[in-house]
Amino acid sequence: MKFKNVLFTGLALTLSLAILSSCGNSGTDKKGGTASDTSKKAKAAGDSPDTLSVVKSSYPPIDKAKYDSLLKFNAHNDTSGRWPVKGTPYPLGGAILPFKRIVAFYGNLYSKKMGILGELPPNEMLAKLKGEVKAWEKADPKTPVQPALHYIAVVAQGDGGKDGKYRYRMPFKQIDSVLVLAKKAHAIVFLDVQVALSNIRAELPLFEQYLKMPQVHFGMDPEFSMKDGTKPGKKIGTYDADDINYVSGYLANIVKKNGLPPKILIVHRFTRKMVTNYKNIKLRPEVQVVMDMDGWGEPDLKTGTYRYFINQEPVQFTGFKLFYKNDIKKAPHHMLTPQEVLSRYSPYPLYIQYQ
């Protein structure tokens, strides 16, 4: 099962590396423009960072009784004793999980090959996101839905670049444009990082100006963390609990210094080795950790992946990824519906990502 899963999810490497056609070492986009050209596009459109979606303030403490009740509900009749996860800290006031389910569109704004976020024109993309939000609200009326845009801000690539790190950092103007789109959709934003031959300690601090915004959260992708020096796309990478603890600690400090509600940290995963020493992952009131089942394939394959690598290695909250194209490549050529996801998986995933 594990080997088959790697075969199917491995092609996701190729999809993420498709940015090569639009963002090489020279910083050219798919239409032949440069990174500065895309910045000019955003400026010309009158885009400016959205810092007002969620106002900084003092947030009342969470309702602990309701929090506990929702954790039990979302365990979805788990009989293993793993869910809800025992001994987890209550979050600070203003926490999104488990009070809402997040439904996110993933991709890069200037690449049509990396996900639905960049595949469709902005207004069409936001309309489609709104439709998915409604579908999840209908499937689970008990849980309100929070829309999100999940933007790949650092992209693994096949060219080593000037520093030989095989990653491309997106211009900040692109992030600004995503914030503007998110404001239109009343959405939160995730900035996702594929470190390649760099490391998370070098990449995360670059985004602090955005992470100080209450509506901006973070994603880290072990698939492209190539600790042994292998070029991205040749094998599946890995993060250790120590890496995840560094990120959550960094985010927690931002929360405390700026009086923010908890940050959400998405950790992508579809094999056991992608996340090592999961029992050592430290949970904090300032950060909500989501282990996101990131693999693609037919429904039974995805079910096995979720069971073995998400359900059986509990951390805090869970996520589930749906691929508009890759999930339907093999029989039965069917992408799971919200109703099917909710009927199949324990615990209920509270973060849903569409690519």
Side-chain angles (χ1 to χ4, degrees), residues 296-345:
W296 62 268
E298 64 271 25
D300 287 346
L301 177 61
K302 294 173 79 78
T303 296
T305 304
Y306 190 87
R307 178 184 303 121
Y308 294 124
F309 309 129
I310 304 297
N311 175 287
Q312 293 185 10
E313 296 198 355
V315 177
Q316 190 173 21
F317 299 101
T318 71
F320 195 86
K321 192 164 183 176
L322 294 162
F323 293 77
Y324 284 114
K325 296 179 179 178
N326 288 354
D327 280 356
I328 65 173
K329 283 187 173 182
K330 301 201 73 173
H333 308 290
H334 172 68
M335 186 182 78
L336 291 166
T337 66
Q339 291 88 346
E340 289 171 327
V341 171
L342 293 173
S343 67
R344 279 175 173 256
Y345 301 117

Short mmCIF file of all heavy atoms in Angstrom, two decimals, residues 296-345:
data_model
loop_
_atom_site.label_atom_id
_atom_site.label_comp_id
_atom_site.label_asym_id
_atom_site.label_seq_id
_atom_site.Cartn_x
_atom_site.Cartn_y
_atom_site.Cartn_z
N TRP A 296 -2.72 11.99 -3.88
CA TRP A 296 -3.80 11.93 -4.86
C TRP A 296 -3.93 10.52 -5.41
O TRP A 296 -3.03 9.70 -5.33
CB TRP A 296 -3.60 12.94 -5.99
CG TRP A 296 -2.36 12.77 -6.84
CD1 TRP A 296 -1.16 13.36 -6.66
CD2 TRP A 296 -2.25 11.98 -8.03
NE1 TRP A 296 -0.29 13.01 -7.65
CE2 TRP A 296 -0.92 12.16 -8.50
CE3 TRP A 296 -3.10 11.14 -8.73
CZ2 TRP A 296 -0.44 11.52 -9.65
CZ3 TRP A 296 -2.64 10.51 -9.87
CH2 TRP A 296 -1.33 10.70 -10.34
N GLY A 297 -5.10 10.27 -6.00
CA GLY A 297 -5.36 8.95 -6.56
C GLY A 297 -6.82 8.57 -6.42
O GLY A 297 -7.67 9.39 -6.07
N GLU A 298 -7.11 7.30 -6.67
CA GLU A 298 -8.48 6.83 -6.57
C GLU A 298 -8.93 6.81 -5.10
O GLU A 298 -8.09 6.80 -4.19
CB GLU A 298 -8.63 5.44 -7.20
CG GLU A 298 -7.87 4.34 -6.53
CD GLU A 298 -6.46 4.16 -7.07
OE1 GLU A 298 -5.89 5.14 -7.60
OE2 GLU A 298 -5.92 3.04 -6.92
N PRO A 299 -10.24 6.81 -4.85
CA PRO A 299 -10.74 6.93 -3.47
C PRO A 299 -10.17 5.92 -2.49
O PRO A 299 -9.83 6.28 -1.35
CB PRO A 299 -12.26 6.74 -3.65
CG PRO A 299 -12.53 7.30 -5.01
CD PRO A 299 -11.35 6.87 -5.85
N ASP A 300 -10.04 4.65 -2.89
CA ASP A 300 -9.53 3.65 -1.96
C ASP A 300 -8.08 3.92 -1.58
O ASP A 300 -7.67 3.68 -0.43
CB ASP A 300 -9.66 2.24 -2.56
CG ASP A 300 -11.10 1.76 -2.58
OD1 ASP A 300 -11.95 2.38 -1.91
OD2 ASP A 300 -11.38 0.76 -3.28
N LEU A 301 -7.29 4.39 -2.52
CA LEU A 301 -5.91 4.73 -2.23
C LEU A 301 -5.82 5.87 -1.23
O LEU A 301 -5.05 5.83 -0.26
CB LEU A 301 -5.18 5.10 -3.52
CG LEU A 301 -3.71 5.54 -3.38
CD1 LEU A 301 -2.87 4.43 -2.80
CD2 LEU A 301 -3.16 5.97 -4.73
N LYS A 302 -6.64 6.89 -1.44
CA LYS A 302 -6.64 8.03 -0.53
C LYS A 302 -7.10 7.61 0.87
O LYS A 302 -6.58 8.11 1.88
CB LYS A 302 -7.53 9.14 -1.09
CG LYS A 302 -7.00 9.74 -2.39
CD LYS A 302 -8.00 10.70 -3.01
CE LYS A 302 -8.01 12.05 -2.35
NZ LYS A 302 -6.88 12.90 -2.75
N THR A 303 -8.05 6.70 0.92
CA THR A 303 -8.56 6.23 2.20
C THR A 303 -7.45 5.52 2.99
O THR A 303 -7.28 5.75 4.20
CB THR A 303 -9.75 5.29 2.00
OG1 THR A 303 -10.82 6.02 1.41
CG2 THR A 303 -10.21 4.69 3.33
N GLY A 304 -6.68 4.69 2.30
CA GLY A 304 -5.59 4.00 2.97
C GLY A 304 -4.51 4.96 3.46
O GLY A 304 -3.98 4.80 4.57
N THR A 305 -4.21 5.95 2.66
CA THR A 305 -3.20 6.94 3.04
C THR A 305 -3.64 7.70 4.28
O THR A 305 -2.85 7.92 5.21
CB THR A 305 -2.94 7.92 1.88
OG1 THR A 305 -2.56 7.18 0.72
CG2 THR A 305 -1.85 8.90 2.23
N TYR A 306 -4.90 8.11 4.31
CA TYR A 306 -5.42 8.85 5.47
C TYR A 306 -5.37 7.97 6.71
O TYR A 306 -4.99 8.42 7.79
CB TYR A 306 -6.85 9.29 5.18
CG TYR A 306 -7.42 10.27 6.19
CD1 TYR A 306 -7.23 11.63 6.06
CD2 TYR A 306 -8.17 9.82 7.28
CE1 TYR A 306 -7.76 12.53 6.98
CE2 TYR A 306 -8.71 10.70 8.20
CZ TYR A 306 -8.51 12.06 8.04
OH TYR A 306 -9.02 12.94 8.95
N ARG A 307 -5.74 6.72 6.55
CA ARG A 307 -5.79 5.82 7.71
C ARG A 307 -4.40 5.60 8.30
O ARG A 307 -4.19 5.68 9.51
CB ARG A 307 -6.38 4.47 7.29
CG ARG A 307 -6.43 3.43 8.43
CD ARG A 307 -6.92 2.08 7.95
NE ARG A 307 -8.23 2.17 7.34
CZ ARG A 307 -8.49 1.80 6.09
NH1 ARG A 307 -7.52 1.34 5.32
NH2 ARG A 307 -9.71 1.90 5.60
N TYR A 308 -3.40 5.29 7.43
CA TYR A 308 -2.09 4.89 7.92
C TYR A 308 -1.22 6.06 8.37
O TYR A 308 -0.44 5.93 9.33
CB TYR A 308 -1.35 4.09 6.84
CG TYR A 308 -2.02 2.77 6.54
CD1 TYR A 308 -2.41 2.44 5.25
CD2 TYR A 308 -2.27 1.85 7.56
CE1 TYR A 308 -3.02 1.24 4.96
CE2 TYR A 308 -2.89 0.64 7.29
CZ TYR A 308 -3.26 0.34 5.98
OH TYR A 308 -3.88 -0.86 5.73
N PHE A 309 -1.32 7.20 7.70
CA PHE A 309 -0.36 8.26 7.97
C PHE A 309 -0.97 9.48 8.66
O PHE A 309 -0.23 10.38 9.09
CB PHE A 309 0.32 8.69 6.67
CG PHE A 309 0.88 7.52 5.90
CD1 PHE A 309 0.57 7.36 4.56
CD2 PHE A 309 1.67 6.58 6.53
CE1 PHE A 309 1.07 6.27 3.86
CE2 PHE A 309 2.18 5.49 5.83
CZ PHE A 309 1.88 5.33 4.48
N ILE A 310 -2.29 9.55 8.76
CA ILE A 310 -2.94 10.66 9.45
C ILE A 310 -3.66 10.17 10.70
O ILE A 310 -3.37 10.60 11.81
CB ILE A 310 -3.92 11.40 8.51
CG1 ILE A 310 -3.21 11.89 7.24
CG2 ILE A 310 -4.57 12.56 9.26
CD1 ILE A 310 -2.11 12.90 7.48
N ASN A 311 -4.57 9.22 10.52
CA ASN A 311 -5.34 8.72 11.66
C ASN A 311 -4.45 8.03 12.68
O ASN A 311 -4.61 8.24 13.89
CB ASN A 311 -6.43 7.74 11.17
CG ASN A 311 -7.19 7.09 12.30
OD1 ASN A 311 -6.67 6.23 13.00
ND2 ASN A 311 -8.43 7.51 12.49
N GLN A 312 -3.52 7.20 12.24
CA GLN A 312 -2.74 6.37 13.16
C GLN A 312 -1.55 7.10 13.78
O GLN A 312 -0.87 6.54 14.66
CB GLN A 312 -2.27 5.09 12.45
CG GLN A 312 -3.42 4.17 12.09
CD GLN A 312 -2.97 2.85 11.49
OE1 GLN A 312 -1.79 2.51 11.50
NE2 GLN A 312 -3.92 2.10 10.95
N GLU A 313 -1.27 8.31 13.33
CA GLU A 313 -0.20 9.10 13.95
C GLU A 313 -0.78 10.47 14.33
O GLU A 313 -0.48 11.48 13.70
CB GLU A 313 1.01 9.22 13.02
CG GLU A 313 1.65 7.87 12.74
CD GLU A 313 3.06 7.97 12.19
OE1 GLU A 313 3.53 9.10 11.93
OE2 GLU A 313 3.70 6.91 12.02
N PRO A 314 -1.62 10.50 15.36
CA PRO A 314 -2.37 11.72 15.70
C PRO A 314 -1.48 12.83 16.23
O PRO A 314 -0.55 12.60 17.01
CB PRO A 314 -3.33 11.23 16.79
CG PRO A 314 -2.63 10.06 17.40
CD PRO A 314 -1.92 9.38 16.28
N VAL A 315 -1.78 14.05 15.77
CA VAL A 315 -1.05 15.23 16.25
C VAL A 315 -2.04 16.20 16.90
O VAL A 315 -2.05 16.39 18.10
CB VAL A 315 -0.25 15.90 15.12
CG1 VAL A 315 0.44 17.17 15.64
CG2 VAL A 315 0.79 14.92 14.57
N GLN A 316 -2.93 16.82 16.08
CA GLN A 316 -3.93 17.72 16.65
C GLN A 316 -5.19 17.76 15.79
O GLN A 316 -6.23 17.28 16.19
CB GLN A 316 -3.35 19.12 16.84
CG GLN A 316 -4.26 20.05 17.64
CD GLN A 316 -3.62 21.38 17.97
OE1 GLN A 316 -2.67 21.81 17.31
NE2 GLN A 316 -4.12 22.05 19.00
N PHE A 317 -5.09 18.34 14.58
CA PHE A 317 -6.20 18.39 13.64
C PHE A 317 -5.77 17.74 12.33
O PHE A 317 -4.57 17.55 12.10
CB PHE A 317 -6.65 19.83 13.38
CG PHE A 317 -7.13 20.55 14.62
CD1 PHE A 317 -6.30 21.44 15.29
CD2 PHE A 317 -8.41 20.33 15.11
CE1 PHE A 317 -6.74 22.11 16.43
CE2 PHE A 317 -8.85 20.98 16.26
CZ PHE A 317 -8.01 21.87 16.92
N THR A 318 -6.75 17.42 11.48
CA THR A 318 -6.41 16.75 10.22
C THR A 318 -6.97 17.51 9.02
O THR A 318 -7.96 18.26 9.14
CB THR A 318 -6.94 15.31 10.19
OG1 THR A 318 -8.37 15.31 10.07
CG2 THR A 318 -6.54 14.54 11.43
N GLY A 319 -6.33 17.29 7.89
CA GLY A 319 -6.76 17.88 6.63
C GLY A 319 -6.81 16.84 5.54
O GLY A 319 -6.27 15.73 5.68
N PHE A 320 -7.43 17.21 4.43
CA PHE A 320 -7.61 16.27 3.32
C PHE A 320 -7.56 17.05 2.01
O PHE A 320 -8.19 18.09 1.89
CB PHE A 320 -8.97 15.55 3.45
CG PHE A 320 -9.09 14.34 2.58
CD1 PHE A 320 -8.64 13.11 3.00
CD2 PHE A 320 -9.68 14.43 1.32
CE1 PHE A 320 -8.76 11.98 2.20
CE2 PHE A 320 -9.81 13.31 0.52
CZ PHE A 320 -9.35 12.08 0.96
N LYS A 321 -6.81 16.52 1.05
CA LYS A 321 -6.62 17.23 -0.22
C LYS A 321 -7.38 16.53 -1.34
O LYS A 321 -7.37 15.31 -1.45
CB LYS A 321 -5.14 17.31 -0.57
CG LYS A 321 -4.84 18.26 -1.72
CD LYS A 321 -3.35 18.59 -1.74
CE LYS A 321 -3.00 19.59 -2.81
NZ LYS A 321 -1.57 19.97 -2.77
N LEU A 322 -8.02 17.34 -2.17
CA LEU A 322 -8.77 16.85 -3.33
C LEU A 322 -8.19 17.47 -4.59
O LEU A 322 -7.96 18.68 -4.64
CB LEU A 322 -10.25 17.19 -3.19
CG LEU A 322 -10.97 16.48 -2.03
CD1 LEU A 322 -12.28 17.18 -1.70
CD2 LEU A 322 -11.21 15.02 -2.37
N PHE A 323 -7.97 16.64 -5.60
CA PHE A 323 -7.37 17.07 -6.85
C PHE A 323 -8.41 17.00 -7.97
O PHE A 323 -8.92 15.92 -8.28
CB PHE A 323 -6.19 16.18 -7.22
CG PHE A 323 -5.01 16.29 -6.31
CD1 PHE A 323 -5.01 15.66 -5.07
CD2 PHE A 323 -3.88 17.00 -6.68
CE1 PHE A 323 -3.91 15.74 -4.22
CE2 PHE A 323 -2.77 17.09 -5.84
CZ PHE A 323 -2.80 16.46 -4.60
N TYR A 324 -8.70 18.15 -8.57
CA TYR A 324 -9.71 18.18 -9.63
C TYR A 324 -9.34 17.28 -10.81
O TYR A 324 -10.21 16.68 -11.43
CB TYR A 324 -9.91 19.61 -10.13
CG TYR A 324 -10.70 20.49 -9.19
CD1 TYR A 324 -10.12 21.57 -8.55
CD2 TYR A 324 -12.05 20.23 -8.93
CE1 TYR A 324 -10.84 22.39 -7.69
CE2 TYR A 324 -12.78 21.03 -8.07
CZ TYR A 324 -12.17 22.11 -7.45
OH TYR A 324 -12.89 22.90 -6.59
N LYS A 325 -8.07 17.16 -11.10
CA LYS A 325 -7.64 16.38 -12.27
C LYS A 325 -7.03 15.04 -11.89
O LYS A 325 -7.40 14.00 -12.43
CB LYS A 325 -6.66 17.20 -13.11
CG LYS A 325 -7.28 18.47 -13.70
CD LYS A 325 -6.27 19.27 -14.50
CE LYS A 325 -6.92 20.52 -15.10
NZ LYS A 325 -5.95 21.36 -15.85
N ASN A 326 -6.08 15.04 -10.97
CA ASN A 326 -5.34 13.81 -10.70
C ASN A 326 -6.17 12.74 -10.00
O ASN A 326 -5.90 11.54 -10.16
CB ASN A 326 -4.10 14.13 -9.86
CG ASN A 326 -3.04 14.83 -10.69
OD1 ASN A 326 -3.19 14.99 -11.89
ND2 ASN A 326 -1.97 15.26 -10.05
N ASP A 327 -7.16 13.13 -9.20
CA ASP A 327 -7.97 12.13 -8.51
C ASP A 327 -8.84 11.32 -9.47
O ASP A 327 -9.34 10.26 -9.10
CB ASP A 327 -8.86 12.80 -7.46
CG ASP A 327 -8.11 13.11 -6.18
OD1 ASP A 327 -6.92 12.74 -6.08
OD2 ASP A 327 -8.69 13.73 -5.28
N ILE A 328 -9.04 11.82 -10.68
CA ILE A 328 -9.94 11.12 -11.62
C ILE A 328 -9.17 10.43 -12.74
O ILE A 328 -9.77 9.93 -13.69
CB ILE A 328 -10.98 12.10 -12.21
CG1 ILE A 328 -10.30 13.16 -13.08
CG2 ILE A 328 -11.80 12.75 -11.10
CD1 ILE A 328 -11.29 14.05 -13.83
N LYS A 329 -7.85 10.34 -12.63
CA LYS A 329 -7.06 9.74 -13.71
C LYS A 329 -7.27 8.24 -13.84
O LYS A 329 -7.21 7.69 -14.93
CB LYS A 329 -5.57 10.04 -13.49
CG LYS A 329 -5.17 11.46 -13.88
CD LYS A 329 -3.66 11.63 -13.81
CE LYS A 329 -3.26 13.00 -14.35
NZ LYS A 329 -1.79 13.19 -14.34
N LYS A 330 -7.49 7.57 -12.72
CA LYS A 330 -7.66 6.12 -12.75
C LYS A 330 -9.06 5.75 -12.29
O LYS A 330 -9.72 6.50 -11.58
CB LYS A 330 -6.60 5.44 -11.89
CG LYS A 330 -5.16 5.76 -12.31
CD LYS A 330 -4.18 4.73 -11.81
CE LYS A 330 -4.32 3.42 -12.61
NZ LYS A 330 -3.26 2.45 -12.25
N ALA A 331 -9.50 4.56 -12.67
CA ALA A 331 -10.82 4.07 -12.28
C ALA A 331 -10.96 4.14 -10.76
O ALA A 331 -10.00 3.83 -10.04
CB ALA A 331 -11.02 2.65 -12.77
N PRO A 332 -12.10 4.57 -10.26
CA PRO A 332 -13.37 4.83 -10.97
C PRO A 332 -13.51 6.25 -11.53
O PRO A 332 -14.62 6.68 -11.80
CB PRO A 332 -14.41 4.61 -9.87
CG PRO A 332 -13.71 5.07 -8.62
CD PRO A 332 -12.27 4.68 -8.80
N HIS A 333 -12.39 6.96 -11.73
CA HIS A 333 -12.40 8.30 -12.34
C HIS A 333 -13.36 9.23 -11.59
O HIS A 333 -14.22 9.88 -12.18
CB HIS A 333 -12.80 8.20 -13.82
CG HIS A 333 -11.97 7.22 -14.59
ND1 HIS A 333 -10.64 7.43 -14.87
CD2 HIS A 333 -12.28 6.00 -15.10
CE1 HIS A 333 -10.17 6.38 -15.55
NE2 HIS A 333 -11.14 5.51 -15.69
N HIS A 334 -13.16 9.28 -10.30
CA HIS A 334 -14.11 10.00 -9.45
C HIS A 334 -13.38 10.74 -8.33
O HIS A 334 -12.56 10.15 -7.62
CB HIS A 334 -15.11 9.01 -8.85
CG HIS A 334 -16.02 9.59 -7.82
ND1 HIS A 334 -17.00 10.52 -8.12
CD2 HIS A 334 -16.11 9.37 -6.47
CE1 HIS A 334 -17.65 10.85 -7.02
NE2 HIS A 334 -17.13 10.16 -6.01
N MET A 335 -13.65 12.03 -8.19
CA MET A 335 -13.16 12.80 -7.05
C MET A 335 -14.20 12.75 -5.94
O MET A 335 -15.39 12.95 -6.19
CB MET A 335 -12.89 14.25 -7.45
CG MET A 335 -12.25 15.07 -6.33
SD MET A 335 -11.97 16.81 -6.78
CE MET A 335 -13.66 17.46 -6.58
N LEU A 336 -13.76 12.49 -4.74
CA LEU A 336 -14.68 12.36 -3.62
C LEU A 336 -15.48 13.64 -3.40
O LEU A 336 -14.96 14.75 -3.50
CB LEU A 336 -13.91 12.03 -2.35
CG LEU A 336 -13.27 10.63 -2.30
CD1 LEU A 336 -12.27 10.56 -1.17
CD2 LEU A 336 -14.33 9.55 -2.16
N THR A 337 -16.75 13.48 -3.09
CA THR A 337 -17.61 14.61 -2.76
C THR A 337 -17.47 14.93 -1.28
O THR A 337 -16.97 14.11 -0.49
CB THR A 337 -19.07 14.28 -3.06
OG1 THR A 337 -19.50 13.23 -2.16
CG2 THR A 337 -19.26 13.82 -4.51
N PRO A 338 -17.92 16.11 -0.84
CA PRO A 338 -17.90 16.40 0.60
C PRO A 338 -18.62 15.34 1.43
O PRO A 338 -18.12 14.92 2.48
CB PRO A 338 -18.60 17.75 0.68
CG PRO A 338 -18.29 18.41 -0.63
CD PRO A 338 -18.33 17.29 -1.63
N GLN A 339 -19.77 14.89 0.95
CA GLN A 339 -20.52 13.86 1.69
C GLN A 339 -19.71 12.58 1.82
O GLN A 339 -19.71 11.94 2.88
CB GLN A 339 -21.85 13.58 0.97
CG GLN A 339 -22.85 14.72 1.02
CD GLN A 339 -22.66 15.70 -0.14
OE1 GLN A 339 -21.65 15.69 -0.84
NE2 GLN A 339 -23.65 16.57 -0.33
N GLU A 340 -19.00 12.21 0.77
CA GLU A 340 -18.20 10.98 0.81
C GLU A 340 -17.01 11.12 1.74
O GLU A 340 -16.66 10.18 2.47
CB GLU A 340 -17.74 10.62 -0.60
CG GLU A 340 -18.87 10.12 -1.49
CD GLU A 340 -18.46 9.98 -2.95
OE1 GLU A 340 -17.61 10.77 -3.41
OE2 GLU A 340 -18.99 9.08 -3.61
N VAL A 341 -16.36 12.27 1.73
CA VAL A 341 -15.24 12.50 2.65
C VAL A 341 -15.72 12.36 4.09
O VAL A 341 -15.08 11.70 4.92
CB VAL A 341 -14.62 13.89 2.41
CG1 VAL A 341 -13.60 14.21 3.51
CG2 VAL A 341 -13.95 13.95 1.04
N LEU A 342 -16.85 12.96 4.39
CA LEU A 342 -17.36 12.93 5.76
C LEU A 342 -17.81 11.53 6.18
O LEU A 342 -17.76 11.18 7.36
CB LEU A 342 -18.51 13.93 5.91
CG LEU A 342 -18.11 15.40 5.77
CD1 LEU A 342 -19.35 16.30 5.77
CD2 LEU A 342 -17.16 15.82 6.89
N SER A 343 -18.25 10.74 5.24
CA SER A 343 -18.70 9.39 5.58
C SER A 343 -17.55 8.41 5.72
O SER A 343 -17.64 7.42 6.44
CB SER A 343 -19.68 8.88 4.51
OG SER A 343 -19.02 8.67 3.27
N ARG A 344 -16.42 8.70 5.06
CA ARG A 344 -15.31 7.75 5.02
C ARG A 344 -14.30 7.92 6.14
O ARG A 344 -13.66 6.95 6.56
CB ARG A 344 -14.54 7.89 3.69
CG ARG A 344 -15.16 7.18 2.49
CD ARG A 344 -14.36 7.52 1.24
NE ARG A 344 -14.80 6.75 0.08
CZ ARG A 344 -14.14 5.72 -0.43
NH1 ARG A 344 -13.01 5.33 0.12
NH2 ARG A 344 -14.60 5.07 -1.48
N TYR A 345 -14.10 9.15 6.61
CA TYR A 345 -12.89 9.42 7.39
C TYR A 345 -13.14 9.76 8.85
O TYR A 345 -14.06 10.50 9.18
CB TYR A 345 -12.08 10.53 6.71
CG TYR A 345 -11.71 10.14 5.30
CD1 TYR A 345 -12.18 10.86 4.21
CD2 TYR A 345 -10.94 9.00 5.07
CE1 TYR A 345 -11.87 10.46 2.93
CE2 TYR A 345 -10.64 8.60 3.79
CZ TYR A 345 -11.11 9.33 2.72
OH TYR A 345 -10.82 8.93 1.45
#
